[in-house]
């Protein structure tokens, strides 16, 4: 039984870890931390957990107790894991960070986008970007895993088959992405209120969103070269879900894109290439650790449109984190992640 | 492994049965019928099922194939099970009916509320009303089970502790119930459109709703006498969930209602009596086979307010049906039903 | 042209005043205050106002500038108007307070429910409760008007015909009310987030809500005696709207309730008694200053069910405030309030 | 007073015409037709209209009664106006068609996209495309006006400043558009159900949507040449609103795009170019006849991103139709269209 610690468990990725781990046969949450909710039972804060974690209360972060765990998940705002990850690694505990702290390999770029110096640049060389469909081998032996962001997961999975195959014009990629409101977290912000985000739609951060450098880094890896990406995120009136609509020019009109995608993901348990002509709905992955993808070439032109959907809290965060844990500990990658999406 | 058949699997209770049974370790769906979708793979109709039922397509109802199953669920409009249930019972198959066909023990009353004669009155004497918290023993040996409706489940579980204890004035019970739109089914009706049911709230069927006689029948059983019930259902702009707000006059101001409810449900795996002062949210049971209840006595008066929430598609339909199946086949009642509710 | 001032214009009742007054032919907003948004153009905060208030920015409250207005609306949290109202009245300006500060005539009761001493008890004797359907004459000559709360408006309009006629058992009234989330205001509270309030339903404040004493006070006035009221508010996943489901026992089964209600409101421009058997939807009043009511007597029993819907921000707040202003200044009561509800 | 007739008034564009015309000082609806609802009062079908159209019931279409009107709006499915428009024009009545029947100037292209022959090709030469920002002069003297579709309005208004100025690479335009569900109409379709379209997002008709040729036709006019457009519509869980996210390559990095857009629309009463850096929300135009636009050039690259929002039922349909009527009859273009958008 893997002993699990969670740092910062009061937000949406925290409760989602708890939801998924409650059904994981080989893991047990031993510690969950929160400074603001110290002493509160997790089930008192999240009544959906009643009956599943009667033994578990939030405690203040404590390196000794966390270090006694086999693995510690960070479900914290950016900046928090920088300070604590090194200490935990020193105790032999593995760290799976759901925040942005170790996603960018370049500390200066991190500092530029997050407006503060990187707090642990010495750990960056060993941090593994936890996208199993790209980095499975490296994950197996990692000590520190940076779980990809939600937009980056949906976008990379949708574009890398084209880039790895060298088919797309990498200078003009577009990711028009739509996210549910839970992507903004559980913080009490006016913009996330029901009466502000409901019954409306808007783009945001068109000038530049923090997930842009993360996506670009992943696409460069796949393309083995520079990429030009325009990324426009939108806020959509739904709780969960990301719908990435991806545009790439593909010169060769003869290539069978459907086959390309199906073969790329043939052995991936959590990527579903849908039949040609499909339009994946975000609800088809609600609560499930799945990315569903459909490839289109409208009017037979040279612009390819890839549709890629995930649940931002599952394949875009907590589910993918557990998938990483399974790989790390040599378990069946699907353990605890076989939930069917909730539809309707 | 229990061989399962499903009649009428294209609606919301059908797909919910498939979702839940996909994770049931002792059951396998062998047959699922639909006249309109014959030959269509279930995963083509419901993409959330992709990867879980690759072998399964809708077929036309066939007594022989269904009769080869250990149990057949009816997820059909009312009237359909009347004709077919007897034939299946004759083959030795058990029948669990999610429709209203066998819920009322009085065929005349059924005819009055459903506007057509009862098609199988001879089966009524042996039909067991599948509310495990009341009828567990009878369910164990049943051949034909009538799964309670969604409103009746939430309302009965909220009121029976008071009635069984003889505490409430049974002549003036009120059930003000709020339902998500999935309770209206997947039929293409104008009133269920996103633009009609969204961003709005309304009462309906105040004159008399078909669940009224079913609730009254259950309350009479608990009260061992006649009851006067006013039942006002409302349509609420959410997909899943029922919130029953129940009003009963309780003369004895000394009784500890919290304790009464806790003791009544102490051994019930799927009824959660929340701490005094709680306000259960429907999302705390979304996707889960749980009824959460809180008991209030505002301003210390003699009017008791009970709040009772369920997911209408789970504890109010398909989950409860599987709970019945588990009891019927001597399995752990919780098998396949341990999902944590999806929150947020 | 009436010169209008608004104190505390950044919340939802503030922007709703601006929306409605933009179309009022006899009023012009001269001053709008906000400490936190000083200097910000109202249209920069609320882009729906672009093109309508190019001249208007938030300023810090200033008695002199406000006192130069003919009327000042308070759209503030409770407690704020206590301090300022008297000063403005002294300048000859009329005050229409949308907050709870002058709704309860008993300062002690106010103190009990709002947890602080009443700040201007000397003004209470002259404060007029601004429910035109009850107090029209008093409003005409008022200096200080307390606009009713949203729940109290829907509930009183639904019950007073019964109470004024002496038909109901006043000891056992029930108001089961459902509100959209905008009733909780624009404050950044976790409970009002899209991901908390969306796709879910819950009761709240069952122990006692601040609108309870206000409703009771109004019902006592109508009944000319004590009343026993159980009031259970619920949060509903919609932005605007209140649906009050009201229960009262009426002994006399012979009385024509439909006629009673129609006659009571025959001359009321903003109360619509719908045909017998109707189920008013909250969307039928979205954005409009209307209360729609339907009266039911299910199964011909002695329990009457009244359905009453309003838009909490219009007839439940800003629209009603303007209706009061129209009466106060001798204008046609309907001026600026003839908008048709937005449906769908 | 302009005498107005409406053919096919039971759908969402029909009720929206009624809502807006109720407040129009110079127009009065004399006739409204519907075969299925003959004899039903419009206020019985749409309770938001109660008190505004007590005199008006649906009647069967009758050329004589419609011909007695000064103008007839068609709010019908495609194909219906073909047959009737000519007859009405012959009586001297003007026709404003909200359907797609006269939007494409090429009858063959119409036949290809709508799957049936064009029923009135002889009228096409005189049909004026009713986008006032492009065709105001022609509208003034038109007999037959084709009101643009919702997607085409948002997309054209967002792109034509670039195209008219010859700035964009017209071979690679992308319109990634998100629509509320009311765009699908009031028809009882499974895909438009609350439980199907709610809490989810999807693209649709990626292969080719009927608005594609209409948009292309308008862009060609602006660009004075061929255009290559990829148009991907998405269904979004909100009732009203279209958000068009438009991508165009602009070689000249020196041009001041903000100024270009502001000047292009300087005299347009219903196009609002927002300040640089803005992110328009669809709710900022809810219920209002406005298109709000913001222009971005992320990271200073050569890809311009234009954000354009409208209410699909107002500026995307019924409001624009009334704007056309105002122009046609020499009235102030803003008459009856000065509503402030409903926010929140």
């Amino acid at each position: 039984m893997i002993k699990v610690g969670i740092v910062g468990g009061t937000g949406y990725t925290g409760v989602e870890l708890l939801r998924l781990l409650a059904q994981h046969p080989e893991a047990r949450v031993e510690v969950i931390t929160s400074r603001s909710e110290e002493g509160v039972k997790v089930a008192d804060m999240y009544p959906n957990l009643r009956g599943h974690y009667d033994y578990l209360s939030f405690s203040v972060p404590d390196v000794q107790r966390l270090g006694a765990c086999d693995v510690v998940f960070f479900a914290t705002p950016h900046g928090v894991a920088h300070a604590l990850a090194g200490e935990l690694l020193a105790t032999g505990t593995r760290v799976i960070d759901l925040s942005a702290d170790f996603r960018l390999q370049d500390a200066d770029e991190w500092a530029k986008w997050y407006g503060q110096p990187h707090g642990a640049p010495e750990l960056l060389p060993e941090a593994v970007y936890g996208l199993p469909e790209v980095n499975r081998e490296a994950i197996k032996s990692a000590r520190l895993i940076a779980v990809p962001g939600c937009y980056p997961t949906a976008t990379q999975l949708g574009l890398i088959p084209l880039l790895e195959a060298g088919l797309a014009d990498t200078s003009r990629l577009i990711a028009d992405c739509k996210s549910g409101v839970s992507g903004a977290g559980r913080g009490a912000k006016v913009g996330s209120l029901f009466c502000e985000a409901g019954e409306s739609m808007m783009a945001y951060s068109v000038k530049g969103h923090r997930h842009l450098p993360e996506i670009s880094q992943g696409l460069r890896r796949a393309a083995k070269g520079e990429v030009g990406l325009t990324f426009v995120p939108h806020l959509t009136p739904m709780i969960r879900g990301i719908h990435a609509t991806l545009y790439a020019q593909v010169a060769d009109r003869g290539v069978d894109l459907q086959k390309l995608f199906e073969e790329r993901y043939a052995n991936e348990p959590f990527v579903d290439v849908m039949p040609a002509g499909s339009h994946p709905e975000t609800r088809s992955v609600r609560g499930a650790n799945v990315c569903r993808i459909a490839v289109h070439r409208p009017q037979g032109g040279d612009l390819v449109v890839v549709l890629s959907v995930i649940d931002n809290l599952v394949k875009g965060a907590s589910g993918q984190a557990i998938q990483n844990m399974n790989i790390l500990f040599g378990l069946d990658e699907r353990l605890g992640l076989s939930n069917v999406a909730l539809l309707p």
Side-chain angles (χ1 to χ4, degrees), chain A residues 313-324:
Chain A
L313 295 179
V314 191
K315 184 62 178 165
S318 305
Q320 186 144 268
I322 292 169
Q323 186 182 355
N324 274 282

Side-chain angles (χ1 to χ4, degrees), chain A residues 31-344:
Chain A
V31 187
I32 186 162
T33 78
S34 161
R35 291 185 190 280
S36 60
E37 304 292 335
E38 188 195 351
V40 175
K41 289 197 156 200
V42 296
D44 286 352
M45 184 158 185
Y46 288 115
N48 61 324
L49 301 176
R50 285 174 62 85
H52 295 277
Y53 287 101
D54 293 343
Y55 65 92
L56 193 66
S57 298
F58 294 106
S59 56
V60 291
D62 174 274
V63 174
Q64 207 160 4
R65 287 193 65 206
L66 289 167
C69 295
D70 298 306
V71 63
V72 169
F73 293 96
F74 280 81
T76 45
H78 67 265
V80 176
H82 284 166
L84 208 49
E87 290 187 68
L88 288 173
L89 291 176
T91 70
T93 294
R94 315 271 185 105
V95 169
I96 300 179
D97 178 23
L98 284 80
S99 87
D101 280 2
F102 298 102
R103 290 182 194 154
L104 300 185
Q105 294 187 311
D106 182 331
D108 291 340
E109 193 167 26
W110 195 94
K112 177 185 143 201
W113 284 91
Y114 289 88
Q116 62 190 80
H118 196 285
E122 71 283 3
L123 294 176
L124 284 177
E126 71 161 307
V128 173
Y129 189 69
L131 192 61
E133 292 76 10
V134 169
N135 274 345
R136 187 169 282 111
E137 284 311 308
I139 292 166
K140 287 180 182 170
S141 54
R143 294 202 312 156
L144 170 59
I145 293 172
V147 181
C150 48
Y151 287 125
T153 297
T155 302
Q156 290 176 77
L157 292 177
L159 284 177
I160 56 177
L162 294 174
L163 300 189
E164 288 175 353
L167 286 168
D169 175 350
T170 55
S171 70
R172 305 204 172 283
L173 300 169
I174 294 174
D176 188 293
C177 294
K178 299 89 177 169
S179 173
V181 184
S182 63
R186 197 168 168 271
K189 289 172 284 190
V190 169
S192 302
L193 292 176
F194 187 89
C195 299
E196 299 290 312
E199 273 293 304
S200 191
M201 173 115 199
M202 66 183 297
Y204 66 102
S205 296
V206 176
K207 211 169 76 174
H209 183 283
R210 285 168 172 170
H211 283 177
L212 174 61
E214 181 186 344
I215 302 173
S216 294
Q217 170 183 282
L219 298 185
R220 281 196 304 268
R221 217 179 305 199
K224 297 196 170 62
E226 285 305 305
V227 300
L229 171 70
T230 299
F231 167 51
V232 179
H234 299 75
L235 193 63
T236 310
M238 58 188 184
I239 295 175
R240 290 166 177 251
I242 283 187
H243 187 293
T245 312
L246 309 166
Y247 301 89
Q249 284 171 232
V250 171
D252 179 357
R253 298 182 187 222
V255 64
D256 183 340
L257 294 174
Q258 181 71 22
K259 194 176 157 205
L260 177 79
F261 274 73
E262 286 179 359
E263 288 181 358
R264 175 59 180 85
Y265 293 124
N267 299 313
E268 288 300 337
F270 294 120
V271 181
D272 174 27
V273 179
M274 298 185 73
S278 296
H279 297 102
E281 305 168 88
T282 59
R283 65 179 187 148
S284 76
V285 298
R286 186 190 298 144
N289 193 52
V290 181
C291 176
R292 295 197 205 278
I293 293 176
V295 196
H296 291 259
R297 194 187 283 225
Q299 283 92 47
D302 65 356
L303 196 78
V304 171
V305 179
V306 183
L307 312 173
S308 169
V309 302
I310 59 169
D311 182 325
N312 53 304
L313 295 179
V314 191
K315 184 62 178 165
S318 305
Q320 186 144 268
I322 292 169
Q323 186 182 355
N324 274 282
M325 181 191 78
N326 288 342
I327 298 171
L328 196 57
F329 288 86
L331 304 172
D332 182 331
E333 198 166 327
R334 296 163 298 183
L335 225 52
L337 296 172
S338 58
N339 267 5
V340 180
L342 196 72
L343 181 163

